[in-house]
Amino acid sequence: MKYCFKIIASLFLLSALYACKGNTNYRLEEGIWRATLKTSSGAEIPFNFEVTDSAGQKVIDLINGEDQFRVNEISQHSDSVLIRLPLFDTEIHAKIKDKTLSGNWIKHMSDSDMVMPFEARHGESWRFFKVNSAQEAKLSGRWSVSFSTADHDLREAGIGEFEQKDGRLYGTFIRATGDHRFLEGTISDKKIYLSAFDGANAFLFTGKLLNDSTIVDGMFYSGFSLVQNWTAKKDDIAILPDAYSITALKDGFDKIDFSFPDLNGKKVSLSDSKFKNKVVLIQFFGSWCPNCMDETAYLVPFHKKYQDKGLEIVALAYERTTDYELSKRNILRLRDRFDVPYDMLITGYTNDKTEVAQSLPMLKSFVAFPTLIILDKKGKVRKIHTGFSGPGTGIHYANFKKEFEETIDNLLLEQ
């Protein structure tokens, strides 16, 4: 009997050791990874991320140029890995084996899901090419950009801001409604490659450098299926339409009003006493919107700096769903991420631009998220700022902050 017990115990130990050895194939290794998302046209959008251990919990940092976006909701069961992005209501479902992840990135929309094939391999720090060909091109600086659809039916102006550094290319594209945040890439064989994945959007820009002042044959891939063409000319004085000229009130209106529930279900209105004789900022945002995330990151310390001087902020959420509880869950994650101190209201309307205009009938139209309405102490609309050019835009962001703070300072001085 004792002999049989020893055999059984030995078999059990060998089985456990084999299981542990097998499980090493399923380990989410720490260190750098290279990932790709595949579009409907077959184009691959590459990005990098780093896995680290934080207090016994695996965390991921999405890397796009100087920006690192922390992801800490990671779960694993055997060979199945679930990476839930902290904002935007998106997630990655993948199988892991031999330091390779394979699965899908899923972006939850209002009535459907967008699904993109996802692959990642541990230990690869390159983004587009392992080795770039030598380049003498000079892309650093400002470019005037023209975007168009494949049939050239729709054209839109933009600005490109690029910087070459240590053999890599960094920068962003800015449109009237906001920027494409932090892009990272390279130049190889006179071709330009830039990409980004921030949890909400997947972008790929390619183009051909005709000379040091002209880019042609540009292609822009966004998400699973959106494709646009683009060209660019070097232009140090390129500008976009004034962000304060895009959205306006209907004729005959100089004030707005609303009554929407906050995250506790309590109705909040501009007629509430807390807004009386205050300069008020009304933020139109969504938890799904990366530019809204950048704007929120700016407004939180701005609110702390100016609240005692007579400033209030109230944020109106337009989610992809009219479900209050689902909207609340997503907004709470954003609020907790940025430690938002001001009121965040659930409008009950979706992010469809026509619905936004319906929610506030005094608006002539609604163009883009985010949008910021500035009210003076008498409740009158003084300015409406469309879009947000965040920290990825460099001097554009610095100029916005300077002009915006001067505007608020002046309004606070008014009686």
Side-chain angles (χ1 to χ4, degrees):
M1 176 66 73
K2 185 181 294 184
Y3 178 73
C4 290
F5 177 79
K6 286 182 177 179
I7 292 176
I8 292 171
S10 297
L11 288 173
F12 177 80
L13 179 61
L14 287 171
S15 176
L17 289 171
Y18 178 79
C20 290
K21 182 179 179 181
N23 284 340
T24 61
N25 293 331
Y26 304 150
R27 183 181 299 150
L28 186 62
E29 297 284 354
E30 293 183 38
I32 197 75
W33 291 66
R34 179 183 184 267
T36 59
L37 296 167
K38 185 169 287 188
T39 71
S40 60
S41 61
E44 288 189 343
I45 303 178
F47 64 97
N48 301 100
F49 63 86
E50 185 175 12
V51 177
T52 55
D53 187 281
S54 177
Q57 174 67 39
K58 292 288 178 64
V59 297
I60 288 174
D61 288 302
L62 301 177
I63 303 170
N64 296 291
E66 296 179 357
D67 185 56
Q68 294 196 10
F69 186 65
R70 175 62 57 93
V71 179
N72 52 20
E73 295 183 54
I74 303 163
S75 59
Q76 182 174 355
H77 179 69
S78 185
D79 65 340
S80 296
V81 179
L82 172 62
I83 303 170
R84 181 168 172 77
L85 284 304
L87 302 170
F88 316 129
D89 200 16
T90 73
E91 60 210 27
I92 293 171
H93 293 253
K95 297 286 188 179
I96 187 168
K97 185 178 181 181
D98 297 329
K99 300 182 180 181
T100 300
L101 285 164
S102 180
N104 293 300
W105 172 50
I106 303 171
K107 183 176 182 178
H108 300 294
M109 313 294 281
S110 58
D111 55 0
S112 62
D113 290 339
M114 184 195 75
V115 180
M116 295 183 70
F118 163 84
E119 301 282 343
R121 180 172 291 277
H122 176 262
E124 297 184 345
S125 60
W126 55 280
R127 200 172 185 96
F128 285 95
F129 303 102
K130 289 183 179 180
V131 179
N132 292 331
S133 61
Q135 297 295 325
E136 296 180 358
K138 298 179 180 178
L139 264 76
S140 295
R142 182 175 299 185
W143 295 69
S144 177
V145 182
S146 176
F147 291 95
S148 64
T149 51
D151 56 9
H152 300 286
D153 235 13
L154 178 66
R155 290 186 177 275
E156 183 181 359
I159 291 175
E161 289 281 1
F162 307 133
E163 179 186 7
Q164 290 170 264
K165 188 177 180 181
D166 299 328
R168 296 192 179 187
L169 181 64
Y170 304 96
T172 193
F173 290 86
I174 312 163
R175 308 198 197 199
T177 55
D179 66 284
H180 289 279
R181 307 192 75 246
F182 295 87
L183 302 172
E184 180 181 341
T186 190
I187 311 168
S188 185
D189 292 329
K190 293 188 176 181
K191 291 184 179 178
I192 299 163
Y193 302 87
L194 286 163
S195 68
F197 175 68
D198 58 16
N201 294 308
F203 297 140
L204 170 65
F205 293 87
T206 63
K208 180 180 178 182
L209 192 64
L210 195 62
N211 51 53
D212 283 347
S213 62
T214 307
I215 300 172
V216 297
D217 298 336
M219 300 294 293
F220 166 50
Y221 303 86
S222 177
F224 186 59
S225 58
L226 178 64
V227 181
Q228 290 183 342
N229 302 109
W230 64 277
T231 58
K233 289 279 190 180
K234 196 76 171 287
D235 186 353
D236 293 336
I237 58 173
I239 60 172
L240 290 173
D242 182 7
Y244 290 104
S245 68
I246 299 172
T247 307
L249 299 181
K250 291 178 180 176
D251 292 341
F253 287 90
D254 62 3
K255 292 186 177 183
I256 66 170
D257 199 12
F258 52 77
S259 180
F260 298 123
D262 63 13
L263 297 176
N264 296 314
K266 179 184 175 183
K267 288 291 184 72
V268 175
S269 170
L270 287 176
S271 60
D272 294 346
S273 59
K274 71 179 295 182
F275 301 116
K276 188 176 182 180
N277 297 321
K278 299 285 185 66
V279 172
V280 180
L281 306 181
I282 302 169
Q283 180 191 22
F284 290 70
F285 82 105
S287 64
W288 47 269
C289 166
N291 290 125
C292 301
M293 177 185 70
D294 285 339
E295 184 181 66
T296 300
Y298 169 71
L299 288 178
V300 167
F302 187 85
H303 177 268
K304 292 178 181 178
K305 177 180 177 180
Y306 279 88
Q307 187 179 28
D308 290 342
K309 299 178 182 180
L311 175 88
E312 289 291 346
I313 302 177
V314 59
L316 307 183
Y318 293 85
E319 295 298 288
R320 292 193 176 111
T321 174
T322 57
D323 185 300
Y324 177 87
E325 292 300 326
L326 182 56
S327 297
K328 177 180 176 179
R329 184 191 72 186
N330 291 333
I331 298 164
L332 279 171
R333 296 174 78 210
L334 185 146
R335 185 200 67 179
D336 295 344
R337 173 90 178 192
F338 294 101
D339 194 22
V340 179
Y342 49 81
D343 289 324
M344 308 187 86
L345 312 184
I346 301 175
T347 64
Y349 293 86
T350 71
N351 60 321
D352 183 279
K353 294 171 186 176
T354 58
E355 285 200 34
V356 179
Q358 291 171 7
S359 72
L360 291 172
M362 60 289 297
L363 285 176
K364 184 180 294 184
S365 63
F366 187 84
V367 179
F369 289 92
T371 288
L372 196 65
I373 297 182
I374 304 173
L375 308 181
D376 64 20
K377 292 180 182 179
K378 296 179 181 178
K380 290 186 177 182
V381 175
R382 299 293 287 271
K383 288 187 174 184
I384 302 178
H385 188 278
T386 301
F388 188 77
S389 295
T393 67
I395 189 64
H396 299 270
Y397 181 55
N399 290 340
F400 161 78
K401 291 193 294 181
K402 181 177 183 295
E403 182 277 332
F404 185 73
E405 293 194 17
E406 288 176 354
T407 295
I408 301 305
D409 285 335
N410 290 332
L411 287 176
L412 289 170
L413 290 174
E414 293 182 356
Q415 297 303 314

